[in-house]
Amino acid sequence: MKTADQLLVKQINKMIVLNTIYKKRPVSRAEIAKITGLNKSTVSALVDELLVEELVLETGIGESQGGRKPVNLSINQEVGHIIGIDLGVNYILSVMTNFAGEIIWEKRIDCQAAYSSSPAQRIAELELLIREAMQQAPPTVRGIIGIGIGVPGIVNYEQGLILSAPNLGWENIGLRSIIEQQFGVPVFIDNEANAGAIGEKWFGAGKRADDLLYVSAGTGVGAGIIINNELYRGAKGLAGEIGHMTVSLDGFPCSCGNTGCWEEYSSEKALFRYLKKYRDIRTLTIFDVVKEALAGDAVAREAFQYVGKYLGIGVANLINAFNPQLVIIGNSLPLVGDFLMDELKQEAAKRCFAARYFSIPILSSQLNMHACAMGAAALVISRLYASPVS
Ligand SMILES: [Zn+2]
């Protein structure tokens, strides 16, 4: 009989082996032992279990390093599928990925502005989209493994509870239990910027960074903070609400109840407020303004530069606070490219104390508008890698 500690050690070792196969695939048992420092017989026993569970596959014969040719291992991408959702303020994006995080289906729907639809209506739209994704899933051993959802608000991650999503007008919504009851698979809910950070770390611009900040600049502004390869949630899970740090003493009122919040100057809200002085914005979407700027429209470019400057101010503050290896700017605003990013980088360089001593790359997101949905899928995948015994 094994003690609880021995079982825990075994589980951790198994996670390490699975993770190594995921990152280094194709890889042999001997190589895994070398990379992880685990002894060869431990690796072999754990790989045997993973093979029985169909989480990994033998994928052929590798090069001999002297002696017998090794058998290569890879993860079984088709063991099941994961649904990742980006629940936006005026859209819902759903992706379905395989176990390796490759998108095999996706759909984006536009929704009515949050103030003109109730939470129940929005949840009904979400359920419809999840049902459609499930219908598209090819048959696999495990079917749908789980659903991850990124939401624009403050989340109690452990309880799957949305505490407050001011831009959606939601308070205290137990979204995890609603979706789990409906679909009978594990559901993980996280803040959209946290999901974006995890998405970039697993699949995008942050793969090689141990410490990174992901700044989501869209309808609102938030940050996902990764420290030493782990998402930093803070004492109660509310870390990263930097859109609501005060940057102006007597500034614009914010949906959170405060005034002068950073996101009032550095989000789509600020962009449209700027444009409103020059044109009718009622039917304009952020994608229209991106197109206008790229086509040479001077006012649209100025609007992005204005917002970029303010983004740079906040990014400089964040770099001073966290000293990250890398800052990634995601969500809708960086879609316009250099008009925003150049201004942002210049302002950050000017104001950042830490950047005087070493350069800190500020990149735009590699996953673009998929970062949150892919990160939501990674919430499910990472949980599976953390406890592959089910
Ligand atoms: Zn605020």
Side-chain angles (χ1 to χ4, degrees):
M1 176 104 181
K2 286 191 164 143
T3 66
D5 278 354
Q6 282 169 324
L7 282 172
L8 183 65
V9 168
K10 184 183 157 194
Q11 186 140 358
I12 291 169
N13 286 343
K14 197 163 165 185
M15 172 189 83
I16 291 169
V17 169
L18 184 60
N19 240 311
T20 308
I21 299 171
Y22 173 76
K23 286 189 183 136
K24 305 284 180 187
R25 64 187 190 272
V27 63
S28 70
R29 290 168 176 79
E31 285 166 329
I32 296 169
K34 211 169 171 185
I35 295 164
T36 60
L38 295 169
N39 72 45
K40 281 185 189 169
S41 59
T42 304
V43 170
S44 280
L46 294 173
V47 166
D48 286 347
E49 284 187 22
L50 291 167
L51 284 167
V52 170
E53 288 163 18
E54 299 189 66
L55 291 172
V56 305
L57 292 172
E58 292 184 328
T59 52
I61 307 295
E63 285 298 305
S64 167
Q65 306 292 327
R68 207 150 47 105
K69 285 188 177 173
V71 177
N72 273 334
L73 297 159
S74 196
I75 57 162
N76 181 4
Q77 322 199 130
E78 308 307 332
V79 68
H81 292 101
I82 293 114
I83 295 173
I85 305 274
D86 173 1
L87 182 65
V89 172
N90 50 15
Y91 66 89
I92 307 173
L93 171 67
S94 169
V95 300
M96 182 164 51
T97 77
N98 63 18
F99 187 39
E102 292 164 351
I103 297 178
I104 60 160
W105 180 87
E106 67 174 279
K107 186 169 179 181
R108 182 188 156 105
I109 58 166
D110 291 319
C111 302
Q112 280 189 341
Y115 55 80
S116 59
S117 71
S118 67
Q121 278 171 304
R122 182 60 63 90
I123 291 168
E125 288 174 308
L126 171 65
E127 288 176 348
L128 209 61
L129 196 56
I130 293 173
R131 194 154 294 125
E132 193 179 339
M134 284 180 150
Q135 283 161 359
Q136 301 295 324
T140 52
V141 179
R142 296 190 177 208
I144 298 294
I145 296 169
I147 301 168
I149 305 175
V151 298
I154 297 171
V155 170
N156 180 324
Y157 177 76
E158 299 305 326
Q159 293 174 10
L161 182 70
I162 300 173
L163 297 171
S164 171
N167 290 325
L168 279 174
W170 289 15
E171 292 276 339
N172 281 318
I173 296 200
L175 190 62
R176 183 173 72 195
S177 64
I178 295 171
I179 302 298
E180 276 184 351
Q181 266 170 28
Q182 191 66 234
F183 296 101
V185 297
V187 173
F188 302 91
I189 313 275
D190 210 334
N191 165 271
E192 61 92 16
N194 284 350
I198 295 170
E200 292 291 338
K201 168 76 192 145
W202 275 68
F203 306 117
K207 273 187 199 162
R208 289 187 181 81
D210 302 326
D211 302 284
L212 72 88
L213 296 173
Y214 172 83
V215 176
S216 167
T219 313
V221 174
I225 303 157
I226 289 183
I227 298 176
N228 204 9
N229 292 309
E230 296 269 344
L231 189 74
Y232 178 74
R233 295 179 190 279
K236 295 281 180 195
L238 309 188
E241 284 299 326
I242 40 98
H244 301 288
M245 78 180 159
T246 306
V247 295
S248 173
L249 199 58
D250 302 304
F252 297 116
C254 178
S255 58
C256 73
N258 188 16
T259 58
C261 289
W262 183 33
E263 77 170 34
E264 288 301 320
Y265 299 83
S266 59
S267 65
E268 287 178 25
K269 288 189 264 183
L271 187 88
F272 284 112
R273 189 187 298 116
Y274 187 95
L275 285 170
K276 210 162 122 183
K277 291 183 276 181
Y278 301 94
R279 63 184 61 158
D280 182 359
I281 58 160
R282 275 173 296 181
T283 57
L284 270 189
T285 68
I286 183 66
F287 304 111
D288 297 331
V289 189
V290 167
K291 254 189 231 154
E292 287 174 359
L294 293 175
D297 184 288
V299 172
R301 286 185 180 186
E302 278 165 29
F304 276 108
Q305 282 164 345
Y306 164 80
V307 172
K309 199 183 211 28
Y310 270 101
L311 274 170
I313 292 171
V315 166
N317 292 342
L318 289 175
I319 293 174
N320 284 337
F322 290 98
N323 183 18
Q325 259 167 290
L326 184 67
V327 180
I328 301 168
I329 314 293
N331 210 326
S332 58
L333 291 178
L335 294 177
V336 77
D338 293 345
F339 302 115
L340 179 98
M341 291 300 288
D342 286 352
E343 197 73 26
L344 189 163
K345 286 181 205 171
Q346 260 175 39
E347 199 64 28
K350 209 159 72 186
R351 293 178 187 270
C352 182
F353 178 66
R356 284 186 215 158
Y357 301 96
F358 40 84
S359 80
I360 294 148
I362 302 172
L363 310 175
S364 50
S365 157
Q366 225 172 57
L367 302 174
N368 288 322
M369 295 304 284
H370 286 90
C372 174
M374 288 301 291
L379 291 174
V380 180
I381 300 176
S382 60
R383 185 51 70 101
L384 201 65
Y385 282 110
S387 53
V389 190
S390 59

